[in-house]
């Protein structure tokens, strides 16, 4: 079955860095667009970054442009989110997501990993 397992979250001081990983299984990873979302307390879940199946195209929310980098390793079935210059506003649960179209359209999310930016 499809699984997305995030890791790498934790507590970091403002200005610090973290690298999140999302290990995927149960589908052909190299065919899939992958994305990272986040949800802060009391707020709606929002798109942070997305990456095409071959890694050649990426997109970012304005709030993280220039600070976060999404990448993937198709040989390891893993997508990453490098987060630099972290701010308290980046505090949230971060989720990995993919939408598989065939045989039927289904939306898959990981369980999330907590990122807390605080001094």
């Amino acid at each position: 079955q499809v699984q997305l397992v995030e890791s790498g979250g934790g507590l970091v001081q403002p200005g610090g860095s973290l690298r999140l990983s999302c290990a995927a299984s149960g589908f052909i990873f190299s065919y899939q667009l992958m994305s990272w979302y986040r949800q802060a307390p009391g707020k709606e879940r929002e798109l942070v970054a997305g990456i095409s199946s071959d890694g050649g195209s990426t997109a970012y929310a304005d709030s993280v442009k220039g600070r976060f980098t999404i990448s993937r390793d198709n040989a390891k079935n893993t997508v990453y989110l490098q987060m630099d210059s972290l701010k308290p506003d980046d505090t949230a649960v971060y989720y990995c997501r993919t939408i598989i179209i065939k045989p039927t359209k289904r939306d898959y999310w990981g369980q999330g990993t907590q990122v807390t930016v605080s001094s």
Side-chain angles (χ1 to χ4, degrees):
Q1 70 276 23
V2 173
Q3 282 194 310
L4 299 172
V5 180
E6 300 96 335
S7 62
L11 174 64
V12 62
Q13 291 187 343
S17 298
L18 280 175
R19 187 195 196 202
L20 305 184
S21 299
C22 172
S25 60
F27 62 98
I28 304 175
F29 182 76
S30 61
Y31 286 8
Q32 291 296 124
L33 183 151
M34 301 296 298
S35 53
W36 285 97
Y37 282 72
R38 68 185 181 186
Q39 187 166 21
K43 295 187 177 181
E44 293 188 355
R45 195 170 294 189
E46 62 173 356
L47 175 65
V48 174
I51 187 166
S52 61
S53 58
D54 66 355
S57 296
T58 58
Y60 298 91
D62 287 345
S63 58
V64 306
K65 277 182 185 176
R67 300 188 299 121
F68 290 12
T69 304
I70 188 171
S71 62
R72 64 192 295 158
D73 185 336
N74 285 350
K76 295 182 179 180
N77 288 0
T78 302
V79 60
Y80 304 98
L81 186 67
Q82 177 67 42
M83 306 186 295
D84 299 317
S85 302
L86 282 161
K87 305 175 182 179
D89 283 351
D90 296 318
T91 296
V93 178
Y94 283 72
Y95 299 90
C96 179
R97 180 193 190 193
T98 194
I99 300 173
I100 296 176
I101 304 300
K102 296 180 178 179
T104 56
K105 183 177 179 180
R106 291 194 64 179
D107 192 357
Y108 294 94
W109 295 83
Q111 84 288 351
T113 186
Q114 176 71 48
V115 172
T116 302
V117 185
S118 175
S119 54

